[in-house]
Amino acid sequence: MPSLDWNRKWGRMIESFVPNREEEHFGDRWGDPKLFKPLLAVRKRFLDPYLAPGQVVLEIGSGGGRWTQYLLRSADRVIVVELNPEFFAYLLQRFPRDAGRLELYQTSGYEMRGVPDGTVDLVFSFDVLVHIDPEGIAGYLAETRRVLRPGGRAVLHYGDIDKPIAHANRGFSRMTRARMEALLAQAGLRILDHDTELLFHSNLVAVET
């Protein structure tokens, strides 16, 4: 099961990244949301309907900004919570005109203590919880509930070992739909939409406080 040390490898990867024709920005190798049909479907169902002008949005695990670019289109402020601070310089370089709207927080793991209670409209995370153990996901869910305003929402992507590809991948956490729903209930988050069909190794869930 992926540990915090295992997840720190992404910081080492960004340090050696060189743009090329196949991967203009770090992370595009895992699917460009502008071009890859499954991710276009994710955008249509699990991102666009939850974005609104003037929001404070928090992203757990930005990576190279593959999804941050869409959050910045309408948000007043985007708080990036990252285990790997190596991504911060990359984000500021990629989005220089938006640097004043980016707030960068390095987590020690599964916590967002630098973000005050009840100050966030939307929490978004993609391709991060797939690599975090269930106990860590529970920690992030509790923190998500804490930072969201009343009526705030979250869109979360996680792995599902009921799907063969995730089951065979040692880098995926031992999560299932049932386990995620139990953790969400424990955190006091109400499910708005839960999909197990769009992606072949993972699921998406939208929740609110």
Side-chain angles (χ1 to χ4, degrees):
M1 187 173 295
S3 63
L4 284 174
D5 285 341
W6 186 92
N7 275 286
R8 288 189 177 97
K9 73 177 185 177
W10 307 110
R12 296 190 293 272
M13 289 175 68
I14 190 68
E15 289 183 321
S16 61
F17 172 69
V18 177
N20 55 68
R21 289 184 180 181
E22 288 72 33
E23 189 177 15
E24 181 182 0
H25 300 290
F26 183 85
D28 290 348
R29 73 189 80 176
W30 294 292
D32 186 340
K34 296 189 294 292
L35 303 171
F36 187 48
K37 286 185 178 180
L39 297 188
L40 285 170
V42 169
R43 283 179 56 195
K44 181 177 180 180
R45 180 170 165 185
F46 282 97
L47 184 60
D48 293 346
Y50 297 97
L51 294 176
Q55 289 176 322
V56 174
V57 179
L58 184 151
E59 183 177 19
I60 301 173
S62 66
R66 187 165 54 134
W67 296 92
T68 317
Q69 61 183 317
Y70 302 106
L71 307 180
L72 284 167
R73 288 183 177 179
S74 61
D76 271 2
R77 184 161 51 105
V78 176
I79 303 167
V80 174
V81 174
E82 256 293 347
L83 178 67
N84 296 292
E86 296 88 348
F87 284 111
F88 294 157
Y90 184 87
L91 291 175
L92 294 173
Q93 181 182 13
R94 179 174 179 179
F95 306 115
R97 289 182 294 182
D98 299 304
R101 293 189 293 128
L102 283 170
E103 181 177 321
L104 309 173
Y105 177 73
Q106 182 184 357
T107 178
S108 61
Y110 320 142
E111 54 79 20
M112 304 186 287
R113 287 188 292 268
V115 183
D117 297 3
T119 56
V120 173
D121 298 295
L122 175 69
V123 172
F124 181 83
S125 186
F126 194 93
D127 264 359
V128 175
L129 302 185
V130 294
H131 301 305
I132 293 178
D133 60 65
E135 293 75 16
I137 291 174
Y140 268 135
L141 293 180
E143 284 283 78
T144 293
R145 180 67 180 84
R146 179 184 65 78
V147 303
L148 282 175
R149 305 182 195 277
R153 295 176 171 181
V155 174
L156 306 167
H157 169 237
Y158 68 96
D160 184 350
I161 60 168
D162 283 339
K163 299 181 177 183
I165 291 179
H167 189 273
N169 190 328
R170 293 185 179 181
F172 272 51
S173 63
R174 305 293 91 183
M175 287 292 294
T176 63
R177 175 176 182 151
R179 192 163 195 177
M180 177 56 106
E181 290 186 347
L183 292 177
L184 289 168
Q186 178 181 315
L189 294 164
R190 186 174 73 86
I191 295 173
L192 299 172
D193 190 6
H194 204 165
D195 175 81
T196 62
E197 302 297 329
L198 286 176
L199 302 173
F200 58 86
H201 54 34
S202 52
N203 303 331
L204 290 121
V205 62
V207 299
E208 68 177 359
T209 57

